[in-house]
Amino acid sequence: MHAPSAFTLERRDLIGIEGLSAAEILGLLDLAEEFVDLNRQIEKKRTTLRGRTQINLFFEASTRTQASFEIAGKRLGADVMNMSVGTSSVKKGETLIDTAMTLNAMHPDILVVRHHASGAVALLARKVDCCVVNAGDGAHEHPTQALLDALTIRRNKGRIQGLTVAICGDVLHSRVARSNMLLLSTLGARVRVVAPSSLLPAGIEQYGVEVHRSMESGLADADIVMMLRLQRERMAGSFIPSVKEYFHYFGLDEAKLHHARPDALVMHPGPMNRGVEIDSAVADGPRSLIREQVEMGVAVRMAVLDALARKLPNA
Amino acid sequence: MRETGRAVPPPLMLVHARIVDPSRGSDFHGDLFVSDGIIRDAAFGLAAGGIPDGAEVVDCRGAVVAPGLVDMRAFIGEPGAEHRETLASASHAAAAGGVTTIVCQPDTDPPVDDPAIVDFILRRARDTAVVRIHPMATVTKGRRGEEMTEIGLLQAAGAVAFTDGARSLASAQVLRRALTYARDFDALIAHHTEDATMSVGAMNEGAFASRLGLPGIPKSAETIVLERDLRLVAGTRGRYHAASLTCAESLDVLARAKEQGLPVSAAASINHLCFNERDIGEYRTFFKVSPPLRAEDDRQALVRALASGLIDVVVSDHNPQDVEVKRLPFAEAEPGAIGIETLLSAALRLVHSDEVDLVNLLRALSTRPAELLGLRAGTLRPGAPADIVVFDLDQAWVLDPAQLKSRSRNTPFDEARMTGRVLRTLVAGRTVYEYV
């Protein structure tokens, strides 16, 4: 095994992509590449985080992200504990800050936090002494998802700069979209969002993205088609009329994918709603990177944990 | 109405006509030639240049030839209340009134909130109606005001606009989202501007209602909703149409929105242009309409707004009701009046009183609604479908309700004197009504 890069993040926490420089993003991606190789070996263990305690504090249900952070921490040698707070003390009335203070008293080194409220992770980070990684807060940011998406794109296309990436679907409620718009723009991709007007946030222009309201124009000449998950409670009548109509106009099927470049690749942060935002034939087809995204997720999270841990006291 | 399965009508030359085409602002004497269901030409001396073989010649003797009327707001009982009106009976009433396109409201049972029902109406219209019928679909599922309908798929099925008909959307958020979503499809949302909590009364609020002892509906019930809506339009830029305005205050609000360049249009019903609350007299329920008839000042303001173009469209607000729901104490009676058959003759009152120019009136009855709905109608341009009304501007007559073609008889023009009569109505070049 070759020596890991000496890259460090000049910050204690990773709350969002906002504020990261292109150099920092690329440094994380390079570091993640090393872990991709490591993860494909039989011996996947490092000792970088030996002795460290990592708590995955999930106020919102998650399977894949929590599992991904857990594996990432364990492969780096940390002691990882999962807390699904949605089902425990919050129900008993404990506030976010109380929970944070309680955990802080146990001297964790890394807190990985997901919360349904935008800004909750940043609030919590101000109250604890350890480093905090945002695993998704409300409709604000999901930085490790954007990093793993970028890594997946770079490995398949060799670059990010100059690519046309179409982010399609429920941009309004999507932290994945926000983090991706920031990251991809920072790295020089041409970013488009494709959605019905009712699923676009006000002032979307601030992200420097092109806005399209039809898949045909939005996917034209796209290198990457990135689908977003439509939350079930938003499917019928409030933001869009119905699943049927949504799939008809915005669901990615072979016909719509045909508008993209012939070598365009398809991504989805998961979990997918088959037949809502994406057709099974596309999701499981030869142009789908969806499973590779999951693999890259572990590597990127190892890179983030590793890079942050290097700045911890006593490191 | 489509032409499938029917013989192509013979060519037709309308001669000695006063040809009024509001789509071009033209009004001249001449002849108009129709073949294969299409207007071929209209010009002075056209017939003198030769009449094509086999063409039927109709001498209009100075009668007006104008685009067939497009009635943007008509309630028809099919499906669900065929005893009041069917697509077929409404179409015969329309033809007799010079209306060649009916835009039916989705207040049916079941409501038009699913593409299959749009398809049903279009098929029934094709098979049974003598004029063109286009449905509006609902904005919300079941007209419940909660969840928006499949605006894209309904439009693709043939819905020409979206409205909850005679029901107002209480939720600003629902309307806001619908306007936002509909904008992507360039779809028009038509709204009945009347706050439900303030419109539980029976007639216009005021001294006359108080004397009759009837609960009143204030004008602010309309103006508040209109103001709210237009702020939503300013934020969303969705195309919006006020389905039936009734009072001067609303016109001020509308004028401001138009000055700001908002994508806004508005209609007034023939009832509100011809009558005021006093016509209710001794509790005459045929004058109970929704929104209610207002004061004479309001009626005059509407007429002026029509003349100036502030009011875009005149609608019949045709709403057939049977005696079971009309022969009741005023407050308990259903609102609604039939009007599709009398729409043109009644509207011509405003021309004869010199309040509205004939071209402007016909524009509001044909060209403008066709533009708003994206229909190929409301014009006599060569190449346009030959949907045409021929009417005698000056013929005087008295309305006999027994002669009306509608299945219902609830006309407020009962035994009214009319000046101006439809002589002939053509749809796609075929004569669907002829006064004999």
Side-chain angles (χ1 to χ4, degrees):
Chain A
M1 207 189 327
H2 54 81
S5 69
F7 173 76
T8 58
L9 271 179
E10 293 304 314
R11 57 188 72 231
R12 193 195 71 176
D13 307 311
L14 179 66
I15 302 299
I17 297 297
E18 185 158 26
L20 286 186
S21 66
E24 285 175 300
I25 293 166
L26 291 171
L28 283 170
L29 297 184
D30 292 341
L31 183 56
E33 289 280 8
E34 297 173 22
F35 292 117
V36 174
D37 296 337
L38 178 70
N39 286 335
R40 290 178 177 178
Q41 295 167 19
I42 295 170
E43 173 55 57
K44 303 177 182 67
K45 278 282 216 184
R46 284 270 176 91
T47 56
T48 326
L49 297 187
R50 189 162 68 192
R52 301 287 187 192
T53 301
Q54 172 188 335
I55 299 179
N56 294 338
L57 183 58
F58 278 61
F59 293 87
E60 188 183 78
S62 160
T63 309
R64 67 179 63 208
T65 306
Q66 186 169 318
S68 186
F69 269 109
E70 183 178 356
I71 289 172
K74 283 179 171 167
R75 287 190 182 160
L76 291 174
D79 296 314
V80 183
M81 191 193 106
N82 288 319
M83 278 190 69
S84 293
V85 194
T87 54
S88 62
S89 50
V90 170
K91 289 260 169 72
K92 297 174 193 162
E94 193 174 61
T95 67
L96 173 68
I97 301 299
D98 289 339
T99 306
M101 297 312 289
T102 303
L103 291 173
N104 195 48
M106 299 177 193
H107 297 294
D109 300 285
I110 300 169
L111 270 177
V112 177
V113 185
R114 168 169 288 190
H115 200 280
H116 50 81
S118 303
V121 179
L123 174 64
L124 189 143
R126 285 197 292 274
K127 300 292 176 186
V128 297
D129 303 316
C130 61
C131 75
V132 174
V133 179
N134 183 0
D137 64 322
H140 174 228
E141 282 234 42
H142 191 356
T144 57
Q145 180 70 43
L147 288 163
L148 76 88
D149 287 341
L151 182 62
T152 309
I153 294 169
R154 197 176 71 169
R155 285 174 62 90
N156 283 276
K157 292 290 184 186
R159 67 196 165 103
I160 286 172
Q161 183 155 22
L163 292 180
T164 299
V165 182
I167 302 174
C168 312
D170 186 2
V171 180
L172 178 61
H173 302 100
S174 178
R175 53 193 173 219
V176 175
R178 282 171 177 76
S179 290
N180 264 312
M181 288 189 288
L182 293 165
L183 187 153
L184 293 167
S185 302
T186 303
L187 293 191
R190 183 177 168 204
V191 183
R192 293 178 181 162
V193 294
V194 188
S197 293
S198 52
L199 291 178
L200 285 171
I204 181 77
E205 304 78 18
Q206 71 187 309
Y207 290 95
V209 297
E210 287 176 34
V211 178
H212 291 261
R213 290 177 179 84
S214 86
M215 292 290 270
E216 184 173 357
S217 70
L219 264 53
D221 301 319
D223 298 286
I224 299 288
V225 181
M226 192 180 279
M227 302 307 297
L228 299 172
R229 176 178 168 77
L230 186 69
Q231 301 291 334
R232 193 157 289 275
E233 61 272 23
R234 288 160 195 144
M235 286 181 191
S238 52
F239 291 89
I240 53 153
S242 68
V243 166
K244 185 171 84 174
E245 175 149 330
Y246 186 74
F247 185 75
H248 182 83
Y249 291 104
F250 292 96
L252 186 67
D253 55 15
E254 293 285 0
K256 295 194 192 77
L257 185 55
H258 195 71
H259 297 297
R261 286 174 55 94
D263 60 348
L265 296 170
V266 176
M267 303 175 72
H268 192 296
M272 286 181 282
N273 294 301
R274 291 167 186 268
V276 178
E277 69 262 354
I278 192 162
D279 189 54
S280 279
V282 173
D284 305 328
R287 296 158 78 175
S288 170
L289 296 176
I290 295 169
R291 259 174 294 180
E292 188 174 336
Q293 285 174 271
V294 179
E295 182 190 353
M296 293 307 119
V298 177
V300 151
R301 283 161 186 138
M302 289 170 79
V304 167
L305 295 173
D306 191 355
L308 289 174
R310 291 171 191 185
K311 291 292 290 178
L312 279 171
N314 322 319
Chain B
M1 198 213 69
R2 296 173 210 168
E3 286 73 53
T4 34
R6 297 186 197 187
V8 176
L12 186 66
M13 182 72 86
L14 300 170
V15 300
H16 303 135
R18 177 181 172 187
I19 296 171
V20 180
D21 184 359
S23 76
R24 291 179 287 184
S26 60
D27 181 353
F28 60 96
H29 285 273
D31 313 320
L32 184 143
F33 181 61
V34 170
S35 69
D36 301 324
I38 303 291
I39 296 168
R40 298 299 174 186
D41 204 0
F44 179 76
L46 184 65
I51 293 169
D53 287 346
E56 183 188 347
V57 178
V58 173
D59 187 349
C60 296
R61 298 177 192 182
V64 175
V65 166
L69 274 47
V70 178
D71 185 0
M72 202 167 159
R73 183 169 159 105
F75 297 86
I76 299 176
E78 189 171 353
E82 287 83 355
H83 62 288
R84 289 196 270 128
E85 194 85 288
T86 61
L87 295 167
S89 63
S91 80
H92 285 286
V99 174
T100 53
T101 300
I102 304 173
V103 176
C104 57
Q105 299 298 292
D107 311 34
T108 49
D109 183 15
V112 188
D113 63 356
D114 187 285
I117 300 168
V118 172
D119 193 56
F120 167 81
I121 289 173
L122 291 174
R123 283 166 188 272
R124 287 289 291 168
R126 179 194 65 193
D127 294 343
T128 66
V130 297
V131 304
R132 300 179 200 271
I133 296 183
H134 297 282
M136 285 193 188
T138 65
V139 187
T140 66
K141 292 167 188 164
R143 294 172 63 231
R144 285 187 296 271
E146 292 161 3
E147 300 173 345
M148 78 170 99
T149 50
E150 293 170 330
I151 288 171
L153 297 174
L154 286 162
Q155 187 185 59
V160 292
F162 297 84
T163 181
D164 276 359
R167 204 174 284 170
S168 204
L169 286 164
S171 165
Q173 182 68 298
V174 168
L175 179 60
R176 189 171 87 107
R177 294 229 176 97
L179 283 165
T180 303
Y181 189 81
R183 190 189 61 185
D184 293 350
F185 295 91
D186 198 30
L188 180 70
I189 292 188
H191 194 215
H192 182 92
T193 46
E194 201 173 37
D195 182 89
T197 61
M198 291 169 83
S199 46
V200 287
M203 64 172 293
N204 184 41
E205 184 177 271
F208 193 61
S210 298
R211 194 155 60 77
L212 290 175
L214 290 171
I217 301 171
K219 295 174 192 176
S220 53
E222 172 176 306
T223 311
I224 285 170
V225 173
L226 183 67
E227 287 198 307
R228 177 199 76 173
D229 290 0
L230 295 179
R231 283 174 195 276
L232 297 176
V233 173
T236 61
R237 296 273 153 180
R239 289 175 62 217
Y240 174 89
H241 176 77
S244 178
L245 295 184
T246 65
C247 63
E249 289 85 344
S250 294
L251 296 171
D252 294 340
V253 174
L254 175 68
R256 281 203 302 278
K258 287 195 166 186
E259 279 162 23
Q260 291 165 30
L262 298 183
V264 170
S265 58
S269 90
I270 190 68
N271 301 318
H272 294 93
L273 290 164
C274 290
F275 304 121
N276 64 38
E277 58 183 352
R278 295 264 160 184
D279 287 295
I280 290 167
E282 292 293 312
Y283 305 96
R284 294 157 73 192
T285 59
F286 288 2
F287 290 85
K288 182 177 182 181
V289 292
S290 175
L293 297 173
R294 301 292 184 187
E296 176 60 12
D297 288 350
D298 294 305
R299 189 195 70 83
Q300 289 180 12
L302 284 177
V303 172
R304 284 194 301 276
L306 170 62
S308 73
L310 176 60
I311 286 287
D312 299 84
V313 175
V314 175
V315 296
S316 73
D317 202 22
H318 182 76
N319 193 347
Q321 299 290 352
D322 55 42
V323 291
E324 302 299 318
V325 296
K326 275 294 188 187
R327 207 172 283 161
L328 290 172
F330 194 89
E332 296 165 22
E334 280 292 320
I338 59 169
I340 205 163
E341 195 167 342
T342 46
L343 174 60
L344 179 59
S345 294
L348 289 173
R349 287 179 172 186
L350 306 173
V351 174
H352 292 300
S353 63
D354 287 326
E355 291 172 291
V356 181
D357 172 60
L358 179 62
V359 176
N360 288 340
L361 176 70
L362 293 174
R363 181 179 291 120
L365 284 166
S366 61
T367 310
R368 198 67 189 114
E371 285 169 357
L372 292 170
L373 299 166
L375 300 174
R376 288 183 67 218
T379 179
L380 297 178
R381 284 177 199 277
D387 296 354
I388 294 169
V389 57
V390 182
F391 63 92
D392 183 330
L393 188 58
D394 299 311
Q395 190 178 135
W397 56 294
V398 176
L399 185 113
D400 173 7
Q403 300 297 314
L404 289 173
K405 308 218 180 296
S406 175
R407 280 205 178 174
S408 296
R409 294 282 177 267
N410 54 312
T411 174
F413 292 97
D414 186 357
E415 301 194 3
R417 271 186 275 277
M418 300 285 197
T419 306
R421 164 155 234 153
V422 174
L423 301 177
R424 182 185 287 264
T425 305
L426 302 176
V427 175
R430 177 180 290 104
T431 297
V432 295
Y433 172 79
E434 192 174 354
Y435 174 66
V436 284

